[in-house]
């Protein structure tokens, strides 16, 4: 039975889709339009009470929160497709560490940038120049740490592609494309090389071809 993924056009569900492709897991999608409030529909809220994407249904099993989902499938199908967790417990520790770095340090400022640069004009809400400036400064400091790390290893958790790298792609894509702030990556030699590597993986290209971003 194929895994059912809700909301494939949005950023966080793309994290799940790429993981499923890397793990060679069959999936199908359910299209939702958050601009029309589909994520607040009572039937959807029965499955995801916070009204957020993504959500997956795998038979009778339902799971939400994108990083929880990718951890689940990377573990469940560890011997299938790309190994996204590493070969040793030490590898796994580093994957988890950098996944947390992505969630706690990379994601908050880039999310605020996306919200104020791209979504505010579409939603008709004020865009805060101060938030944009401060978020870019915070993100720059995070990327400086990445630059140091990636000067010592090809990928964040070591010399293997993992969930830690994959998790950066959905919102990193906004930075490099729609927001036209690619200089933040290009000004950092090792971050730039890393981005080119992970963003050119066939799995990510397939996600982009199948499910275009709404903005």
């Amino acid at each position: 039975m194929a895994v059912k993924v809700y909301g494939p056009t949005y950023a966080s569900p793309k994290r799940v889709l790429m993981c499923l492709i890397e793990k060679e897991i069959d999936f199908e999608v359910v299209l939702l339009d958050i601009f029309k409030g589909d994520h607040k529909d009572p039937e959807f809220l029965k499955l995801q009470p916070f009204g957020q994407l993504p959500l997956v249904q795998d038979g009778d099993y339902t799971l939400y929160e994108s990083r929880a989902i990718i951890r689940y499938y990377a573990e469940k199908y560890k011997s299938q497709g790309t190994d996204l967790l590493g070969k040793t417990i030490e590898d796994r520790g580093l994957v988890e560490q950098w996944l947390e770095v992505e969630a706690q340090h990379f994601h908050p400022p880039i999310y605020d940038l996306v919200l104020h640069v791209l979504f505010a004009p579409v939603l008709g809400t004020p865009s805060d120049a101060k938030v944009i400036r401060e978020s870019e400064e915070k993100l720059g400091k995070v990327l400086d740490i990445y630059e140091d790390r990636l000067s010592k290893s090809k990928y964040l958790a070591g010399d293997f592609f993992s969930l830690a790298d994959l998790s950066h792609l959905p919102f990193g894509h906004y930075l490099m494309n729609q927001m036209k702030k690619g200089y933040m990556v290009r000004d950092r030699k090792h971050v730039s090389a890393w981005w080119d590597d992970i963003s050119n993986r066939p799995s990510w290209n397939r996600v982009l071809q199948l499910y275009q971003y709404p903005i």
Side-chain angles (χ1 to χ4, degrees):
M1 183 179 294
V3 177
K4 188 180 294 185
V5 183
Y6 286 72
T9 60
Y10 300 98
S12 291
K14 286 179 168 57
R15 188 177 283 124
V16 173
L17 293 171
M18 185 177 181
C19 176
L20 294 177
I21 294 170
E22 289 280 351
K23 298 304 295 180
E24 301 173 3
I25 300 168
D26 292 334
F27 64 88
E28 59 187 49
V29 300
V30 179
L31 298 174
L32 293 177
D33 188 341
I34 64 173
F35 297 106
K36 293 181 180 179
D38 290 352
H39 59 309
K40 300 300 183 183
D41 182 272
E43 290 304 310
F44 182 75
L45 290 174
K46 290 178 183 178
L47 300 171
Q48 216 296 20
F50 297 100
Q52 296 177 333
L53 298 170
L55 165 80
V56 299
Q57 289 180 299
D58 192 346
D60 295 331
Y61 187 63
T62 299
L63 194 63
Y64 52 82
E65 294 295 341
S66 63
R67 295 171 190 83
I69 296 169
I70 63 176
R71 284 177 166 109
Y72 169 73
Y73 283 109
E75 182 64 44
K76 183 176 181 179
Y77 296 94
K78 186 166 172 51
S79 61
Q80 176 177 310
T82 307
D83 185 351
L84 299 171
L85 298 172
K87 299 190 183 331
T88 68
I89 190 66
E90 288 77 19
D91 288 344
R92 178 66 179 269
L94 287 171
V95 171
E96 294 291 347
Q97 171 185 282
W98 286 100
L99 259 177
E100 286 298 311
V101 169
E102 184 272 326
Q104 304 298 329
H105 299 281
F106 176 86
H107 185 74
I110 202 169
Y111 178 83
D112 284 342
L113 283 171
V114 170
L115 190 63
H116 286 269
V117 174
L118 295 179
F119 278 82
V122 174
L123 297 173
T125 57
S127 182
D128 191 324
K130 182 173 182 286
V131 170
I132 293 173
R133 183 179 67 256
E134 291 177 349
S135 297
E136 189 165 333
E137 289 174 357
K138 290 176 184 176
L139 183 60
K141 291 178 181 178
V142 172
L143 292 177
D144 285 342
I145 294 171
Y146 280 36
E147 179 68 8
D148 179 66
R149 170 60 179 168
L150 292 166
S151 70
K152 301 166 185 172
S153 63
K154 185 175 181 180
Y155 300 103
L156 288 172
D159 291 326
F160 61 98
F161 178 78
S162 75
L163 292 182
D165 307 292
L166 179 157
S167 197
H168 289 79
L169 281 159
F171 281 85
H173 182 83
Y174 274 132
L175 188 75
M176 298 299 292
N177 295 278
Q178 294 94 319
M179 290 198 295
K180 303 187 187 308
K181 292 184 180 293
Y183 57 84
M184 297 191 71
V185 167
R186 297 305 178 202
D187 288 349
R188 295 166 172 87
K189 175 184 174 182
H190 297 98
V191 174
S192 183
W194 168 75
W195 177 260
D196 286 342
D197 183 309
I198 66 173
S199 65
N200 280 295
R201 290 184 73 85
S203 57
W204 180 242
N205 288 329
R206 183 180 168 197
V207 170
L208 294 178
Q209 289 166 4
L210 289 173
Y211 309 108
Q212 294 184 357
Y213 281 78
I215 295 179

